[in-house]
Amino acid sequence: MNPPDVPPPDPTRSTEVEAGAPTPLPLTGERTGPDVPDENYWFRRHVAAYDHVAAAIHGTVLDAGCGEGYGLPILLAAGARGVIGAELDPTTAEHARRRYADDSVAEIDVIEADLAELPLVDTTLDAAVCLQVVEHLTEPDEAMAELVRVVHPGGLVAVSTPNRTTFTPAGSPRNPFHVREYDAVELAELLDRAGLVDVRVLGLHHGPRLAAALAPLGDDPVAALADPDRWDGPLRALVHGVRADDFTVVADDVASVGDSLDLVAWGRVLG
């Protein structure tokens, strides 16, 4: 089943947190997170990918490169028995631990770890997800090999990443934190090299409501959505109201995947 969607943020709500709550992480462009209205489009887009993969996994799951940590409760709510978040940056890992892995949620843990050298025992997990992370990695093959190592034979590994053909139509990555971006063929090859089998690449798209609302932005809405200084009042209101179910994940033909916003790839550990 799909976890319940996170309610859209209230633009009038203060972003200050209650005493004792984790301090919000600074928005650098490297990661997204909840409770920031102007970041809501990107946040909901990422939540949509989590919703999709969460519906197909069970048991103990690794969220590799968990970032702010918002995906951890999504995976747990969808039916995972336990979730381990792995994050390299100490400040980010501590934030995720304090916000999502306190004593009241014993099924969630967060570890500080390099994805290319995970401190986890071989074949002990049922699944691993690595969402919107591989584009940041200098050693993606090593990280993928580690995900395969820690998941038992027959378990699933899911990866999502911006689709290079639509996110950066020409030139170098528009996001300065991206080391390398992938198209559908390149992402499938990354999973193949790690030894995964039954690899499939799906595409995440704007759903009908959002596609119609963004149509006036032209063929490259990402450029406008990435620059809040360019937003007029209606566009800002639209961004603040985007929901995770405004996106859809499909795999009906090659052209559909090629035109997608993000790529969502699945593979099974051989065995």
Side-chain angles (χ1 to χ4, degrees):
M1 64 178 179
N2 286 320
D5 191 19
V6 183
D10 180 354
T12 65
R13 175 185 171 190
S14 170
T15 57
E16 294 182 1
V17 295
E18 298 177 0
T23 302
L25 291 171
L27 289 177
T28 63
E30 186 174 12
R31 69 178 73 86
T32 189
D35 305 319
V36 183
D38 282 358
E39 187 73 5
N40 184 56
Y41 167 84
W42 302 102
F43 173 63
R44 302 296 163 180
R45 180 165 153 176
H46 292 184
V47 168
Y50 269 104
D51 285 349
H52 176 78
V53 302
I57 60 178
H58 64 278
T60 303
V61 181
L62 172 68
D63 186 357
C66 67
E68 193 273 346
Y70 59 87
L72 303 172
I74 294 175
L75 295 168
L76 189 65
R81 183 173 64 248
V83 183
I84 302 170
E87 174 58 42
L88 177 62
D89 177 64
T91 300
T92 305
E94 177 60 20
H95 169 92
R97 187 179 300 113
R98 291 186 62 204
R99 182 162 188 175
Y100 302 104
D102 61 27
D103 292 340
S104 66
V105 190
E107 299 88 352
I108 294 178
D109 189 18
V110 178
I111 60 174
E112 184 183 329
D114 186 337
L115 299 190
E117 193 174 355
L118 291 168
L120 299 171
V121 178
D122 294 2
T123 67
T124 53
L125 304 178
D126 298 290
V129 304
C130 188
L131 306 185
Q132 305 301 116
V133 174
V134 294
E135 65 274 11
H136 297 273
L137 301 179
T138 58
E139 299 177 331
D141 286 286
E142 288 81 352
M144 288 302 305
E146 280 291 270
L147 300 188
V148 172
R149 178 184 66 80
V150 299
V151 173
H152 66 65
L156 292 173
V157 174
V159 176
S160 76
T161 190
N163 181 6
R164 177 171 53 80
T165 60
T166 56
F167 191 77
T168 306
S172 58
R174 81 170 85 205
N175 187 319
F177 294 99
H178 290 182
V179 176
R180 177 188 174 179
E181 294 172 351
Y182 298 80
D183 63 22
V185 172
E186 294 163 343
L187 186 60
E189 290 173 346
L190 178 66
L191 272 63
D192 286 337
R193 288 196 302 271
L196 292 165
V197 298
D198 301 332
V199 172
R200 300 177 62 214
V201 182
L202 296 79
L204 183 146
H205 300 259
H206 292 139
R209 184 190 83 92
L210 190 54
L214 294 176
L217 298 180
D219 295 333
D220 187 14
V222 171
L225 291 168
D227 186 3
D229 291 338
R230 295 172 52 184
W231 298 352
D232 59 16
L235 179 55
R236 190 175 301 276
L238 173 66
V239 168
H240 292 181
V242 170
R243 307 183 304 265
D245 61 10
D246 281 320
F247 301 90
T248 183
V249 178
V250 298
D252 50 358
D253 55 48
V254 174
S256 177
V257 173
D259 293 342
S260 66
L261 302 165
D262 296 323
L263 303 169
V264 183
W266 288 92
R268 182 171 54 83
V269 177
L270 184 63

